[in-house]
Amino acid sequence: MTSGQPGTGNARPTPTGAAGESQPATTAAAGTPTQPARTSDKAPAGTTADQSPPVGGDTTGATPKGDAGAERATNGAASKDAVRHGDKQGNSAEKDNAAEKDNAAEKDNAAKKDDTAKQDAGQGGTATGDSTATGTDASKNSGTTKDSKPAKDSDPAKDAKADGADATDKADSEAKPVGPERWEAFASAPEPRPSIFSRAGRAVGRFLIHEWTLAALGALALAVLMTWPTLRYPRYTLPQDYWDPSLQAWQMAWSGHILLAEPARLWQSNTFFPELWSFAFSDTLLGYAPAGMLGSGPEDAVLRYNIMFVLAHALATLGAYALARQLGAGRIGAAVAGVSYTYAPWLLAQAGHLHVLSNGGIPLALAMLARGHGWSLRHGYRPERRHDGWVYAGWLVAAWQLSLGFGIGLPFAYFLAGAVLVTAVFFFARRLRTGQAVPFGRRLFAADVLGGVLFAGVGLLMAFPFFKVTELHPYAERTIGDISLFSPPASGFVTAPGESRIWGGLHEGARAALPWHPEMTLLPGFVLYALAAGGLFFSVWRLRHRLLLLAGVVLTMVFAMGTRFFDGTFTYVPLFEHLPGWSALRTPGRLMLWTTLLLGLLAAGAVTALTDRVRELTAQRIPSWPGPWLRMATLLPLLLVAVEGLNTTPHPVVPTQPAAMRSAEGPLLVLPSNQSLDQHVMLWSTSGFPDVVNGGSGFTPRQLDDVRRVSQSFPDQTSIDYLRTLGVCSVVLLRGQVAGTPWEITIDAPVESLGISRQEVGEAVVYRL
């Protein structure tokens, strides 16, 4: 490369004539633009006719004055001729005189020509003598002449990598072409393409650290700990007691069994024989039927119940957490809402009622519906966040929640109906006020219509058998007097059940003053009360939202009191008399579920505001060493709420199934028979599901009452004839249960004269009629 120095030469006019015609345009093969011609004042010393520029370089000659110009023209012509005929002597001459040409060019070229010379060098040309090479004639002659092959040095791609400094420093040696591969060793290695296993591992890793994965796992782990020792002996013990849990374990087993074997007979269960629609005598837990399809027999039924018991707690925590997050609470605040909703002290008294504890679908469905409609308590309505998929999911979860039972599902259904009505009124009111349609969309409207129809359809299908039961057994319908027996006083809201590890012993005297304390101890937690009260003054929710949540808390408390609040004349009684199905709800105190949820949302707003403030303080502190301790302090409300939910729930061992139950021919009657013992019989009947006369539910059919009364004298002719009339084939008399009953005397009496047979099977006596 030739570099010019300022003050050593002046640019001359562009040559004309033959020398000017020797500057053709750059060939297409070279792919480089044509450079302007340049001249020098002096001819390089020692230049001969045999010297020629490098092959492949750009050759432009200016016509100089005097002999020097003629000599340079002769050199240019000789160079062209050498290139055309492949003469290799030109290259040798170039090697000998390269240094002299470079020195002359440095003296002749002005400073302003330096950039052009560098550009020529980058395009593959080396300036020699008086001219700057443009690679025109040489490239054309060497690349297009049939008689000669193109010279190796004429490759423009290789000459483009030559540097001017290298040409000056290595003037005595032949410049070798530098290809792109020379610098490839210094390039960064291409990033290896991950394998399918690596991509799968990364996807799994992202899934495991996702917020909702951690929330689900945390809710499950907390459920196992807070319900311990439920899973310690899950095949042999039941939480709280072994009466209602035995009934509910049978319900799950029956629904799963019959839907696989004979779905049309779902509501005609194997218990309460020969009653019709017997599966609708109490809440059915039909939504757990898929779990009932796994396993068989009493031990599997108990195991299934315990697993669903733990999962119900986990789902309730996750559902309330999701609702609080969707409404705008932070993670810790939402966790407080989830834990307080699931492990409120009053729910410890409901440990034997899985249909009450299975309430997680309520907040989860509300969270999904709010997400699908793009609405949150903190940010209001955001149309850009609408998604009809979440709306469908919300209605499906709501329908599943309703299928678990009307005791909890019916108030939820009326709440959804009221929410839809209020939302529609607000939308139309806003349209009339502003004159503009609020963005909603046809897809979202279709999702609401289809989802609402699905929810209503499930409700009607579930309600039909219950209406049939009411029609066949009118005495099963509740009266306002029945509601009064289970209506809690105001003191119940600050009284904890005996299963509370923290408050149970301290509130023993207060419980003694309650007529029916299992349904009247309604303490949601003193910590929750305090956090909710703080949320009225310090919260991320707007003031009007706090006031609405407070109004909801007060209203649900009033309804939970049943007839204790001014005899319920303006509160519970209108609902009892006018809302379809409401008369079947005998325990108003279970509406405390909604009170607990609203208190949890108020508390979530307060805790979220606290965590936001702590985050701001830690960001401003220098040094920030107290930051971790301040953040850990925000976990204190969550810890206190969880501690207040600790329990001392007993886990009694389930009575073992008698061997006679596995061999007796159905339909059969098990004696003694009463409400409590018959629930064990229902559980034992999960081995093959034979028809049994026994059964326990929220009410007792009159026919079963007659059977119990007549069978007091069994075995005698009257009772045997009556049982034969019903179609009973076998009677199983349990020796371990006859103490203090009439059968204590007659269990060993001979029966040959009665036309029946008697057989000892284990700890029972089997009579075949």
Side-chain angles (χ1 to χ4, degrees):
M1 172 179 174
T2 303
S3 59
Q5 297 179 357
T8 58
N10 297 320
R12 294 188 179 182
T14 303
T16 57
E21 294 174 357
S22 65
Q23 300 180 16
T26 306
T27 61
T32 56
T34 304
Q35 301 297 329
R38 292 184 301 276
T39 59
S40 59
D41 293 338
K42 298 180 180 180
T47 304
T48 61
D50 295 334
Q51 294 176 340
S52 62
V55 179
D58 295 344
T59 307
T60 59
T63 305
K65 296 181 181 180
D67 297 336
E71 184 179 1
R72 283 194 293 269
T74 304
N75 292 338
S79 175
K80 293 179 183 179
D81 184 70
V83 171
R84 288 191 185 97
H85 298 282
D87 188 5
K88 296 182 181 180
Q89 294 179 355
N91 292 334
S92 300
E94 179 192 1
K95 294 178 183 179
D96 296 336
N97 298 289
E100 294 178 2
K101 292 181 180 181
D102 289 338
N103 294 333
E106 289 177 0
K107 296 179 181 179
D108 296 336
N109 291 329
K112 62 181 180 180
K113 297 180 182 180
D114 183 52
D115 295 336
T116 306
K118 292 181 179 179
Q119 183 177 3
D120 294 342
Q123 294 172 351
T126 303
T128 57
D130 298 333
S131 62
T132 302
T134 58
T136 304
D137 294 344
S139 297
K140 183 185 297 184
N141 295 336
S142 61
T144 58
T145 304
K146 295 181 181 181
D147 297 336
S148 62
K149 296 182 180 180
K152 293 182 180 180
D153 292 342
S154 64
D155 189 352
K158 294 182 180 180
D159 291 340
K161 297 295 182 176
D163 186 73
D166 293 340
T168 304
D169 297 337
K170 300 180 179 180
D172 295 335
S173 62
E174 181 182 6
K176 296 182 179 180
V178 180
E181 64 276 2
R182 175 176 177 179
W183 306 105
E184 287 181 357
F186 298 95
S188 58
E191 186 175 348
R193 183 178 181 181
S195 64
I196 186 173
F197 298 104
S198 300
R199 294 195 298 270
R202 293 176 184 176
V204 171
R206 288 192 298 268
F207 173 77
L208 291 178
I209 64 174
H210 196 277
E211 176 187 354
W212 295 109
T213 303
L214 296 177
L217 294 176
L220 183 59
L222 185 64
V224 173
L225 294 175
M226 296 293 286
T227 60
W228 191 260
T230 298
L231 295 183
R232 185 176 184 181
Y233 303 108
R235 297 174 68 90
Y236 309 106
T237 63
L238 287 170
Q240 188 76 16
D241 55 56
Y242 43 56
W243 293 301
D244 283 354
S246 295
L247 162 65
Q248 292 162 347
W250 166 81
Q251 288 174 330
M252 285 189 283
W254 168 256
S255 60
H257 160 75
I258 201 64
L259 288 178
L260 289 176
E262 193 177 354
R265 197 191 155 194
L266 171 64
W267 300 102
Q268 318 301 328
S269 74
N270 69 313
T271 60
F272 294 99
F273 178 84
E275 294 286 353
L276 301 175
W277 305 100
S278 56
F279 192 50
F281 284 0
S282 59
D283 277 340
T284 61
L285 294 175
L286 185 59
Y288 290 152
M293 298 177 182
L294 305 175
S296 62
E299 289 187 358
D300 287 345
V302 172
L303 173 63
R304 183 186 305 114
Y305 178 91
N306 285 322
I307 292 176
M308 300 311 298
F309 179 81
V310 174
L311 291 180
H313 285 80
L315 181 62
T317 304
L318 181 63
Y321 176 88
L323 178 60
R325 286 289 284 154
Q326 172 59 31
L327 295 182
R331 291 182 177 88
I332 300 178
V336 169
V339 173
S340 64
Y341 176 74
T342 308
Y343 303 104
W346 75 272
L347 282 170
L348 298 177
Q350 303 294 329
H353 301 142
L354 184 57
H355 62 290
V356 178
L357 300 176
S358 299
N359 52 55
I362 294 175
L364 184 60
L366 293 178
M368 289 179 171
L369 290 173
R371 172 68 179 85
H373 289 84
W375 184 83
S376 70
L377 200 63
R378 193 171 182 179
H379 306 289
Y381 179 59
R382 292 179 287 181
E384 68 277 3
R385 291 180 173 264
R386 293 170 296 169
H387 196 291
D388 56 310
W390 284 109
V391 175
Y392 284 114
W395 284 112
L396 284 174
V397 173
W400 173 79
Q401 176 66 54
L402 189 62
S403 70
L404 293 175
F406 284 112
I408 298 299
L410 190 62
F412 177 47
Y414 282 117
F415 174 83
L416 282 179
V420 170
L421 181 61
V422 169
T423 302
V425 169
F426 270 100
F427 265 77
F428 283 108
R430 181 176 176 181
R431 181 173 183 176
L432 291 176
R433 185 177 69 253
T434 62
Q436 297 178 353
V438 180
F440 196 78
R442 295 182 180 179
R443 294 180 58 180
L444 201 61
F445 179 76
D448 280 324
V449 171
L450 294 177
V453 169
L454 172 66
F455 180 79
V458 171
L460 291 176
L461 290 176
M462 292 287 296
F464 179 77
F466 290 93
F467 284 122
K468 293 295 292 184
V469 170
T470 304
E471 180 183 342
L472 296 173
H473 307 278
Y475 51 87
E477 193 170 358
R478 315 292 182 189
T479 64
I480 198 65
D482 298 329
I483 304 302
S484 299
L485 293 175
F486 296 98
S487 296
S491 61
F493 297 118
V494 291
T495 305
E499 292 82 0
S500 174
R501 184 176 295 275
I502 304 299
W503 308 114
L506 297 174
H507 292 182
E508 185 175 357
R511 287 194 303 273
L514 299 175
W516 183 248
H517 66 82
E519 297 289 349
M520 297 181 180
T521 50
L522 303 178
L523 174 67
F526 290 113
V527 175
L528 183 60
Y529 275 143
L531 292 175
L536 294 175
F537 305 98
F538 179 68
S539 177
V540 294
W541 311 135
R542 295 183 178 91
L543 178 60
R544 65 175 183 271
H545 294 151
R546 296 179 231 168
L547 296 177
L548 286 174
L549 290 174
L550 177 62
V553 168
V554 174
L555 188 63
T556 52
M557 279 186 167
V558 168
F559 281 112
M561 294 178 67
T563 59
R564 292 296 185 105
F565 187 82
F566 297 102
D567 295 330
T569 304
F570 304 103
T571 57
Y572 199 87
V573 172
L575 301 180
F576 181 86
E577 293 178 347
H578 300 292
L579 288 184
W582 201 274
S583 59
L585 308 179
R586 65 172 182 170
T587 51
R590 293 175 183 175
L591 291 174
M592 193 65 186
L593 188 71
W594 293 90
T595 306
T596 307
L597 182 59
L598 295 175
L599 288 172
L601 294 178
L602 275 173
V607 175
T608 301
L610 174 63
T611 55
D612 290 347
R613 182 57 179 160
V614 167
R615 189 178 299 109
E616 294 174 1
L617 290 176
T618 55
Q620 296 172 0
R621 290 188 64 89
I622 301 176
S624 61
W625 65 266
W629 296 103
L630 291 175
R631 294 190 187 96
M632 289 182 64
T634 60
L635 297 175
L636 184 60
L638 176 61
L639 178 63
L640 293 177
V641 168
V643 168
E644 201 170 12
L646 295 176
N647 68 86
T648 58
T649 302
H651 287 73
V653 178
V654 182
T656 305
Q657 179 192 34
M661 285 288 295
R662 295 190 292 269
S663 59
E665 180 183 359
L668 59 88
L669 169 67
V670 180
L671 297 175
S673 175
N674 56 53
Q675 175 72 13
S676 299
L677 294 178
D678 280 5
Q679 291 174 334
H680 296 156
V681 176
M682 299 172 78
L683 176 62
W684 296 336
S685 71
T686 55
S687 291
F689 293 95
D691 290 333
V692 295
V693 179
N694 307 74
S697 68
F699 79 100
T700 302
R702 288 178 178 174
Q703 183 171 275
L704 182 56
D705 270 338
D706 293 340
V707 170
R708 291 171 178 170
R709 177 177 51 81
V710 171
S711 62
Q712 291 289 323
S713 59
F714 184 87
D716 67 345
Q717 196 62 50
T718 301
S719 60
I720 291 172
D721 291 342
Y722 180 74
L723 294 176
R724 283 174 174 170
T725 302
L726 295 179
V728 176
C729 297
S730 305
V731 176
V732 177
L733 186 58
L734 304 176
R735 284 187 177 275
Q737 303 291 336
V738 298
T741 68
W743 300 289
E744 188 175 8
I745 300 174
T746 62
I747 190 171
D748 293 320
V751 295
E752 288 78 7
S753 61
L754 298 175
I756 61 176
S757 63
R758 177 181 178 277
Q759 180 184 5
E760 296 278 350
V761 180
E763 295 296 323
V765 179
V766 179
Y767 298 89
R768 291 180 172 83
L769 308 183

